[in-house]
Amino acid sequence: MPAISNTASTEASTSQLDSILSTLPTLTDPLAIIDALLVLTHALQNDTTHAATGQKILSSIPLAYFFQLLQQDFGYDTETVIDRTCNMIEALLKYQSYSTLTQDPVMVQALEQALQSPSPRVHALGCSQVDKMAGQVATGPDYETLFLFYKTNVFQLLLQGLASDSIAIAERTKKSLVTIILSPYAVNVLFQDRQNKATLYEMANSRNSIVQLRTLETLIEITNESPKAIDDFEALGMLDALKSGLDSSDVLTRFNIIELLSKFGTEEGSDFLDKSGIFARLTDIVANETEQDPLGVNAVIKLYGQLGTAVYVMFPLVERKFGILSQLERILVGGDETYQVSESLKQEAIAAVGLIGGNGNNLQWLVKSTCGDAFAKMYGSLSRDSRVVYFHALAQILQGGGITKGGSDVKALFDQLEGSGQSPFVGRLVTAAKSQSIELALAALSAMIKLSNHQFGVQKIGQDRDAITFLLDRNLELTHAGKVARAEVIADMLQTAAYAREKGEEELLTADQISRLDLARRQGAFYQRATATVAIKDIAA
């Protein structure tokens, strides 16, 4: 057999391709097979000659041969052979539509086998062909094609992939299901088949918690992309487990259900959580079950934070109805005699405030609330670990408004941080940035970076002598990441100051500060002053 190129940088010559096609079926050495498959796959990458190359390959080697490779044992090289074979088959079938593929009984059988394969890579090969179904109907209504597809054994086998013991197979199945069901008209057509409705209902309400959670997660992802689907799923009872799961006696089951609820990211999803009574139940959990189920309460607080980040959810409306910020405030202030708050719960609440305030649509609502005031006043009482979370949360909030957007709301919050009786907050940032705790130092620097994107922030830093000294002192023992972050603060301060100058606004820094900071910027994060050393001859000799 002639030498085979192992790279995909040059086209296989005609003679080389012919030689491979004539000898491949007789090869038994896995390494030789792998090399041959690489050449065939590369030969199919040229879109201009793809059809001719594919026809030439299939005229010499039947597709069944490649399917057989997927079932053979090559010892330690089995996984590599499978991967290379799947790559070659995908390249060969690249331009074949789903309808064309399924006209061949051999292909249908191979597709069904792939979807039942315990190998994640082979299963993914099957899913990649099923995914073509979505593209086939994307150009317009094709009820008949969808209806017939949903009645096939292929679709039923695809659904079963959610129950796989392999996480990789289950995740790939979920991806394909979301892709297909999001096709135009797909949801409506899907439920015209009784078997599909029954199968999905059973999976969404399965006693097997893993199958149930995977199915519910798939349905939620579909509703986030196609919000109207939530009404169909709810009407058919497929979301009932989201409600009943909150009252489960199994702590882990309830935790997982709450985690799923946090994935709703649309106004329709928020309405469902409201009308179904789920929001009210979550409020009750936070108010009354901190001791019985701290894991579940932490998950609810995390959900509130995720809800605050959702672009398509009117958070202030939900907050007004269920008092989410009041719930968070009660945790931030440390609870009371009847309400005990753990350190981890307080940290989760701090993070949630950061996520909520980091969404510019919610920032003003947060700043004007008593929760925002409690957040601003709590820093001094926090432990080191909680201060790390606090600085990251503050960075999220500061990021909620850039150099111009949302600046007044961010400034209002920062003014609260420096309220009566409190030291300048920039000074506290600098103290933390010089901490021996790497996590605390980097968290403080992350907040300084975001602060330096605001004009008032640059002024605050410029007015603090210790802050400027910290930024310019090359003798400070900072970590690599710390030096990079400090350099980013300097660069952002100069950029923000230049922006204000271009707009004809007041100077944010003095000319001397700009000159020194710009020199530090040009020198780079790791600049060290050269130190002269003198070698003294030993005259005692």
Side-chain angles (χ1 to χ4, degrees):
M1 180 177 179
I4 298 175
S5 171
N6 285 319
T7 69
S9 60
T10 59
E11 287 191 349
S13 66
T14 302
S15 60
Q16 184 184 32
L17 184 60
D18 290 341
S19 176
I20 289 172
L21 294 176
S22 64
T23 58
L24 178 55
T26 65
L27 295 177
T28 58
D29 178 11
L31 296 181
I33 293 174
I34 290 170
D35 285 347
L37 290 170
L38 284 171
V39 174
L40 295 183
T41 302
H42 176 61
L44 290 164
Q45 299 308 307
N46 189 324
D47 291 340
T48 304
T49 60
H50 181 278
T53 303
Q55 185 176 3
K56 185 173 185 178
I57 291 173
L58 292 177
S59 64
S60 302
I61 305 174
L63 197 56
Y65 165 78
F66 298 106
F67 294 145
Q68 290 173 3
L69 282 180
L70 298 175
Q71 302 174 20
Q72 295 181 35
D73 184 358
F74 292 97
Y76 292 113
D77 296 305
T78 299
E79 289 300 317
T80 304
V81 172
I82 287 176
D83 183 60
R84 299 296 185 269
T85 303
C86 287
N87 290 342
M88 205 287 298
I89 294 175
E90 285 174 340
L92 192 62
L93 302 179
K94 181 178 180 180
Y95 296 107
Q96 296 293 312
S97 68
Y98 180 83
S99 295
T100 301
L101 292 174
T102 52
Q103 288 175 6
D104 183 351
V106 175
M107 281 299 306
V108 174
Q109 182 182 9
L111 184 56
E112 292 177 350
Q113 290 176 348
L115 293 174
Q116 296 176 83
S117 173
S119 165
R121 183 63 186 91
V122 176
H123 181 269
L125 169 64
C127 287
S128 69
Q129 302 311 304
V130 174
D131 289 348
K132 294 178 179 180
M133 186 65 200
Q136 185 170 320
V137 298
T139 55
D142 194 344
Y143 297 101
E144 183 178 0
T145 301
L146 279 169
F147 185 73
L148 293 176
F149 170 71
Y150 286 140
K151 294 178 72 69
T152 63
N153 192 42
V154 169
F155 183 68
Q156 292 299 316
L157 291 173
L158 183 65
L159 284 176
Q160 292 174 20
L162 286 176
S164 173
D165 291 334
S166 166
I167 295 177
I169 288 177
E171 286 297 313
R172 187 61 181 82
T173 298
K174 183 180 70 175
K175 179 181 177 182
S176 286
L177 285 172
V178 172
T179 299
I180 296 165
I181 297 177
L182 284 178
S183 304
Y185 314 99
V187 174
N188 294 333
V189 179
L190 172 65
F191 295 129
Q192 291 179 19
D193 185 270
R194 291 183 179 180
Q195 183 179 359
N196 289 331
K197 285 193 288 188
T199 301
L200 278 171
Y201 177 84
E202 291 174 3
M203 294 175 71
N205 293 280
S206 173
R207 291 184 178 181
N208 183 321
S209 61
I210 294 177
V211 174
Q212 181 189 66
L213 291 170
R214 287 173 179 170
T215 305
L216 290 172
E217 185 176 19
T218 302
L219 297 179
I220 291 173
E221 286 195 21
I222 291 170
T223 66
N224 284 337
E225 298 296 330
S226 180
K228 293 183 179 179
I230 198 169
D231 294 330
D232 296 317
F233 295 153
E234 185 181 13
L236 293 169
M238 294 180 184
L239 302 180
D240 288 351
L242 293 175
K243 293 175 277 188
S244 62
L246 292 178
D247 295 316
S248 173
S249 58
D250 182 69
V251 173
L252 187 58
T253 295
R254 185 158 78 160
F255 172 81
N256 287 327
I257 289 294
I258 297 172
E259 286 273 290
L260 282 182
L261 294 175
S262 69
K263 296 181 182 294
F264 278 109
T266 64
E267 185 177 350
E268 290 80 0
S270 177
D271 288 342
F272 163 72
L273 297 178
D274 181 357
K275 295 174 182 177
S276 64
I278 289 177
F279 270 141
R281 181 69 183 99
L282 294 176
T283 300
D284 180 65
I285 290 173
V286 174
N288 301 304
E289 301 184 31
T290 53
E291 293 185 15
Q292 301 94 313
D293 185 14
L295 189 66
V297 175
N298 276 35
V300 175
I301 299 305
K302 183 178 179 180
L303 181 152
Y304 288 159
Q306 292 299 321
L307 186 70
T309 65
V311 177
Y312 301 108
V313 173
M314 295 296 292
F315 178 82
L317 296 179
V318 179
E319 196 285 321
R320 184 185 292 117
K321 185 171 184 178
F322 296 100
I324 291 175
L325 291 182
S326 295
Q327 296 176 51
L328 294 176
E329 180 186 357
R330 190 180 186 189
I331 297 171
L332 295 180
V333 298
D336 49 46
E337 293 181 357
T338 62
Y339 192 75
Q340 301 300 312
V341 175
S342 66
E343 187 77 5
S344 65
L345 180 57
K346 182 178 289 189
Q347 290 175 4
E348 198 67 68
I350 292 171
V353 171
L355 291 172
I356 293 168
N359 184 336
N361 296 325
N362 308 326
L363 185 54
Q364 187 178 59
W365 188 263
L366 174 66
V367 170
K368 292 183 177 180
S369 70
T370 54
C371 177
D373 186 58
F375 175 83
K377 294 177 179 178
M378 70 184 302
Y379 176 81
S381 64
L382 295 177
S383 66
R384 186 192 66 183
D385 290 343
S386 292
R387 288 183 177 186
V388 172
V389 180
Y390 189 90
F391 283 134
H392 284 304
L394 180 60
Q396 288 271 2
I397 296 172
L398 290 169
Q399 189 175 5
I403 295 176
T404 56
K405 181 182 176 182
S408 59
D409 295 326
V410 176
K411 186 178 184 303
L413 178 67
F414 206 85
D415 288 342
Q416 290 177 315
L417 292 172
E418 298 186 326
S420 59
Q422 300 194 67
S423 60
F425 197 78
V426 169
R428 284 177 272 173
L429 277 174
V430 172
T431 299
K434 293 190 289 187
S435 169
Q436 294 299 308
S437 167
I438 296 176
E439 284 189 339
L440 181 59
L442 292 179
L445 282 165
S446 72
M448 286 188 72
I449 290 170
K450 302 307 178 185
L451 181 62
S452 63
N453 281 294
H454 294 276
Q455 294 180 16
F456 80 87
V458 174
Q459 284 183 315
K460 294 279 188 184
I461 297 173
Q463 291 166 2
D464 192 297
R465 180 179 300 177
D466 289 341
I468 294 297
T469 300
F470 166 76
L471 294 174
L472 297 174
D473 189 353
R474 297 291 188 174
N475 295 320
L476 286 176
E477 294 184 4
L478 299 179
T479 63
H480 182 283
K483 291 178 181 179
V484 171
R486 182 174 66 172
E488 189 172 347
V489 173
I490 293 172
D492 287 352
M493 284 181 63
L494 290 170
Q495 182 180 355
T496 304
Y499 177 88
R501 195 178 311 112
E502 290 173 3
K503 294 296 182 181
E505 300 176 7
E506 62 178 316
E507 290 288 346
L508 306 181
L509 298 168
T510 67
D512 179 62
Q513 288 174 336
I514 292 175
S515 175
R516 295 165 65 194
L517 289 171
D518 188 54
L519 175 61
R521 179 191 63 80
R522 287 184 283 109
Q523 288 173 336
F526 308 105
Y527 171 80
Q528 288 290 331
R529 291 186 179 88
T531 303
T533 58
V534 179
I536 302 177
K537 183 178 179 180
D538 185 358
I539 59 175

